[in-house]
């Protein structure tokens, strides 16, 4: 079987079928490029459903602290973690942020990612959040990678504010400005995110922010039940969330509520691995009918660009099958972003995002831990080759 991408410039898949049938069907057409995939495998482009890729201020020193036994919240409460990156991101110029963001997207693309969710959230004040969103918008317009933009101004409670005060600022100042800029066509935002966690944003503040975002047309896609069981999954199901991320501490009731509400679980194997957290209960979620997606959670705390490595970790540490992991990194991740009708699978009429790997068995993309650099021969977005080795 082979896909035929559009020759009319719309970047959509025109046909899928046996090579000889397609050659006969389109014998009168001319093509810019024909790729010989003998002995190779064609897969949907990978979808990374959760990243924080716009920031300044690496935290390699904190990695050493964690290895020595410090917990995420201990570092956070001592002014490190998100607060460290917020200070550096506020100081950085828009151009500086764009250049580093562009390089990170290139690394993701070389690892097979063709659609990526990108969050703001290292500003916490309106000025810096808008700076981050402008950087993401510029990339969305100028670069070949597909981007789903998430406003994450509630990533942490800013210094000097309570969670209630921060929520009030977001609802009364940030979101009205986002609505205005979106209406004017200056920026495009798809999703709203809150870090719903003990010691960060409680359930009440989270509810108020998410509902206000939903009221201006944003999809709800937020962090929940990561470090403590706070019933974030139940709240997300009640509010009609498209997706909830992390869920290491989700309750059985929360899992059932998400399955019933068709709310996707975006699981992040890299974070559980690097922070030595207990693994999200992927098997329980799958058995209960939850739509399980995967993300890299790329950020200064979990520095991983590679969805093939994420899939490998999901299989080994979360006991997913390779088929489940591939679905979670393609069609289910697209669903988590509200884009499964156009992305995430090889179907006629969908966007022509695909990767070609140098193996006749697709499982090698997951089986070879860290081997994607040699495996991935082509990355194609909207029918255009954007990377080849």
């Amino acid at each position: 079987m082979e896909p035929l991408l559009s020759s009319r410039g719309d970047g959509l898949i025109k046909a899928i079928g046996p090579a000889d049938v397609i050659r006969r069907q389109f014998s009168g057409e001319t093509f810019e490029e024909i790729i010989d995939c003998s002995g190779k495998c064609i897969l949907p482009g990978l979808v990374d459903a959760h990243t924080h890729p716009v920031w300044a201020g690496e935290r390699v020193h904190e990695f050493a602290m964690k290895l020595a036994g410090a917990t995420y919240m201990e570092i956070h409460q001592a002014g490190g973690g998100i607060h460290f990156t917020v200070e550096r991101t506020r100081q950085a110029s828009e151009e500086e942020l764009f250049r580093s963001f562009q390089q990170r997207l290139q690394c993701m693309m070389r690892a097979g990612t063709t659609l990526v969710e990108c969050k703001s959230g290292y500003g916490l004040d309106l000025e810096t959040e808008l700076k981050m969103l402008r950087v993401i918008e510029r990339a969305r317009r100028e670069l070949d990678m597909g981007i789903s933009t998430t406003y994450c101004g509630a990533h942490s409670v800013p210094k000097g504010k309570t969670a209630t005060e921060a929520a009030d600022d977001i609802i009364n100042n940030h979101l009205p400005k986002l609505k205005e800029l979106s209406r004017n066509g200056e920026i495009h935002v798809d999703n709203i995110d809150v870090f719903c966690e003990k010691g960060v944003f409680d359930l009440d503040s989270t509810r108020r922010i998410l509902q206000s975002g939903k009221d201006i047309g944003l999809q709800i896609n937020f962090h929940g039940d990561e470090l403590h069981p706070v019933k974030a999954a139940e709240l997300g199901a009640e509010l009609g969330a498209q997706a909830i991320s992390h869920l290491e501490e989700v309750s059985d009731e929360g899992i059932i509520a998400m399955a019933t509400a068709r709310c996707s679980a975006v699981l992040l194997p890299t974070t559980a691995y690097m922070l030595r957290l207990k693994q999200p209960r992927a098997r329980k979620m799958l058995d209960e009918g939850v739509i399980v997606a995967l993300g890299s959670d790329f950020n200064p705390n979990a520095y991983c660009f590679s969805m093939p490595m994420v899939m490998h970790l999901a299989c080994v540490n979360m006991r997913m099958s390779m088929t489940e992991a591939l679905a979670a990194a393609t069609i289910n991740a697209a669903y988590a972003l509200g884009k499964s009708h156009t992305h995430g699978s090889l179907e006629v009429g969908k966007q022509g995002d695909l990767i070609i790997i140098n193996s006749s068995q697709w499982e090698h993309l997951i089986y070879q831990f860290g081997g994607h650099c040699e495996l991935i021969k082509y990355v194609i977005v909207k029918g255009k080759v954007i990377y080849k080795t």
Side-chain angles (χ1 to χ4, degrees), residues 52 55-60 66 85 122 297-303:
H52 303 258
W55 47 268
E58 292 189 352
R59 306 208 303 257
V60 65
K66 290 180 196 122
T85 305
Y122 291 121
D297 197 17
F298 174 80
N299 73 81
N301 177 59
Y303 209 105

Side-chain angles (χ1 to χ4, degrees), residues 143-254:
L143 306 181
D144 291 315
M145 180 88 79
I147 290 175
S148 177
T149 305
T150 300
Y151 164 74
C152 189
H155 195 196
S156 183
V157 178
K159 291 178 180 177
K161 283 192 170 131
T162 65
T164 301
E165 290 168 343
D168 288 343
D169 184 36
I170 288 167
I171 292 164
N172 297 326
N173 298 308
H174 291 215
L175 292 179
K177 189 64 176 177
L178 289 191
K179 184 179 179 181
E180 175 194 330
L181 293 173
S182 181
R183 193 170 56 238
N184 295 342
E186 293 181 46
I187 61 171
H188 175 86
V189 180
D190 301 285
N191 318 291
I192 185 162
D193 192 353
V194 176
F195 188 10
C196 180
E197 182 56 67
K198 182 180 176 182
V200 192
F201 286 94
D202 59 18
L203 274 183
D204 181 57
S205 295
T206 299
R207 177 193 296 276
R208 291 173 57 221
I209 295 168
L210 293 177
Q211 186 60 56
S212 297
K214 186 177 181 179
D215 290 345
I216 64 167
L218 301 180
Q219 292 180 133
I220 295 174
N221 186 330
F222 72 110
H223 294 61
D225 292 326
E226 177 184 0
L227 304 173
H228 300 91
V230 296
K231 297 190 181 297
E234 291 91 328
L235 174 65
E238 177 193 334
L239 293 178
Q242 186 73 24
I244 306 171
S245 292
H246 283 291
L247 299 166
E248 285 86 350
E249 298 287 347
V250 68
S251 68
D252 289 349
E253 294 79 11

Side-chain angles (χ1 to χ4, degrees), residues 81-333:
I82 291 170
H83 295 301
F84 178 88
T85 305
V86 165
E87 288 177 17
R88 303 307 190 276
T89 304
R90 286 178 177 176
Q91 294 163 3
S93 71
E94 204 163 310
E95 186 64 25
E96 181 185 346
L97 290 174
F98 178 77
R99 292 300 167 205
S100 59
F101 178 39
Q102 185 178 31
Q103 290 169 358
R104 291 164 191 157
L105 288 179
Q106 287 287 327
C107 292
M108 293 175 184
M109 178 267 294
R110 289 196 292 269
T113 296
T114 56
L115 172 63
V116 57
E117 184 263 6
C118 299
K119 302 179 192 293
S120 69
Y122 291 121
L124 307 184
D125 60 21
L126 179 57
E127 179 186 355
T128 315
E129 288 297 311
L130 291 178
K131 178 171 69 173
M132 295 181 72
L133 290 171
R134 285 194 300 270
V135 166
I136 296 170
E137 180 64 18
R138 179 178 169 190
R140 199 177 71 82
R141 295 181 184 189
E142 293 182 10
L143 306 181
D144 291 315
M145 180 88 79
I147 290 175
S148 177
T149 305
T150 300
Y151 164 74
C152 189
H155 195 196
S156 183
V157 178
K159 291 178 180 177
K161 283 192 170 131
T162 65
T164 301
E165 290 168 343
D168 288 343
D169 184 36
I170 288 167
I171 292 164
N172 297 326
N173 298 308
H174 291 215
L175 292 179
K177 189 64 176 177
L178 289 191
K179 184 179 179 181
E180 175 194 330
L181 293 173
S182 181
R183 193 170 56 238
N184 295 342
E186 293 181 46
I187 61 171
H188 175 86
V189 180
D190 301 285
N191 318 291
I192 185 162
D193 192 353
V194 176
F195 188 10
C196 180
E197 182 56 67
K198 182 180 176 182
V200 192
F201 286 94
D202 59 18
L203 274 183
D204 181 57
S205 295
T206 299
R207 177 193 296 276
R208 291 173 57 221
I209 295 168
L210 293 177
Q211 186 60 56
S212 297
K214 186 177 181 179
D215 290 345
I216 64 167
L218 301 180
Q219 292 180 133
I220 295 174
N221 186 330
F222 72 110
H223 294 61
D225 292 326
E226 177 184 0
L227 304 173
H228 300 91
V230 296
K231 297 190 181 297
E234 291 91 328
L235 174 65
E238 177 193 334
L239 293 178
Q242 186 73 24
I244 306 171
S245 292
H246 283 291
L247 299 166
E248 285 86 350
E249 298 287 347
V250 68
S251 68
D252 289 349
E253 294 79 11
I255 290 173
I256 292 167
M258 288 180 68
T260 303
R262 306 294 287 163
C263 173
S264 175
V266 179
L267 305 185
L268 309 169
T270 50
T271 310
Y273 165 72
M274 292 182 192
L275 293 182
R276 297 169 172 162
L277 303 176
K278 76 178 189 184
Q279 296 291 328
R281 292 185 291 157
R283 283 260 54 87
K284 172 74 172 172
M285 295 179 200
L286 289 162
D287 292 345
E288 294 290 352
V290 175
I291 299 164
V292 172
L294 291 171
S296 69
D297 197 17
F298 174 80
N299 73 81
N301 177 59
Y303 209 105
C304 177
F305 296 115
S306 167
M307 287 303 291
M309 293 179 79
V310 168
M311 289 189 285
H312 180 102
L313 288 171
C315 292
V316 174
N317 289 340
M318 300 189 331
R319 306 191 184 284
M320 294 174 69
S321 71
M322 286 190 284
T323 304
E324 288 167 340
L326 181 65
T330 52
I331 189 66
N332 289 3

